[in-house]
Amino acid sequence: MDRTVFTMAPALSDQDLITVASVLAQKPSSEGKLAKRVLDISLATFMLILMLPVMLLTALAVAITSPGPILFKQERVGCRGRSFACLKFRSMRVDAEHRLITLFKERPELLREWECNQKLQRDPRITRLGAFLRISSIDELPQLINVIRGDMSLVGPRPIVPSEVPKYGRHILSYFSVKPGLTGIWQVTGRNDSTYARRVAADVIYARSHSLWLDMKIIALTVPAVLTGRGSC
């Protein structure tokens, strides 16, 4: 797969691309849709209750160690191009965006890394607690609420921000055909160790071959991936 990922009508704005692609994307098949939704609600509710003590302690730790909101809300693009507020425990400093702009001016090579991978291997914006939350994936626990709301599924493509849509090119149609997931193929096959193109490929593979059995297998494989912190930020 080409390292430049894909191309798609670069003259259009991110929102225009989302609008066009959401119209072209096929609606999710009704076959297995109910079973998947039942699995999402039941398992996400169980996990939310089970992890509630951990989440409360995490919320307290974030509030004590770093000034600012406990939760971080970011616009993500989901099924059929619908935007939603993706929830996470805040793992960065409150001036993260300003720090990023300043960092790019001081170190242009980091801008190139960001444009290529949409992440930095050593991100100075992350707090000390935030680094642990990311390695352990505890920062993503609030997304169980997104799953219960119906914004996300337990298993699916990784949720992307609007500016990432052009990187998917024609493959954004596959992404828009399913809900983004709390975990997925990307989570159990290296996570952030992989290139952006490989992450796109993982999303497309899942969208084209997903089934309830595959979901159960990915959920089972997620446990050791999270416990070992393999490929995490």
Side-chain angles (χ1 to χ4, degrees), residues 109-175:
E109 73 276 9
L110 294 182
L111 175 59
R112 291 190 291 272
E113 179 184 346
W114 178 268
E115 290 175 340
C116 181
N117 301 318
Q118 291 293 303
K119 64 183 178 70
L120 299 176
Q121 286 293 340
R122 295 183 178 181
D123 197 326
R125 300 172 299 162
I126 300 174
T127 64
R128 294 177 67 178
L129 174 63
F132 168 74
L133 296 181
R134 289 187 170 211
I135 290 173
S136 62
S137 294
I138 291 175
D139 65 318
E140 297 180 351
L141 287 178
Q143 289 174 27
L144 289 169
I145 298 173
N146 286 121
V147 174
I148 295 172
R149 285 178 178 174
D151 302 324
M152 297 174 60
S153 176
L154 284 173
V155 182
R158 59 187 190 86
I160 63 174
V161 297
S163 62
E164 291 180 86
V165 171
K167 293 179 177 289
Y168 276 67
R170 59 189 173 84
H171 296 290
I172 196 63
L173 301 181
S174 295
Y175 175 89

Side-chain angles (χ1 to χ4, degrees), residues 3 12 15 19-20 47 51 57 101 107 117 124 127 132 139 146 158 180 190 198 201 203 210 215 227:
R3 288 186 62 125
L12 294 178
Q15 188 55 52
T19 301
V20 172
M47 291 174 63
M51 300 303 294
L57 287 174
I101 294 173
R107 300 180 61 186
N117 301 318
T127 64
F132 168 74
D139 65 318
N146 286 121
R158 59 187 190 86
R198 288 182 180 275
D203 293 346
H210 67 95
D215 283 5
L227 291 178

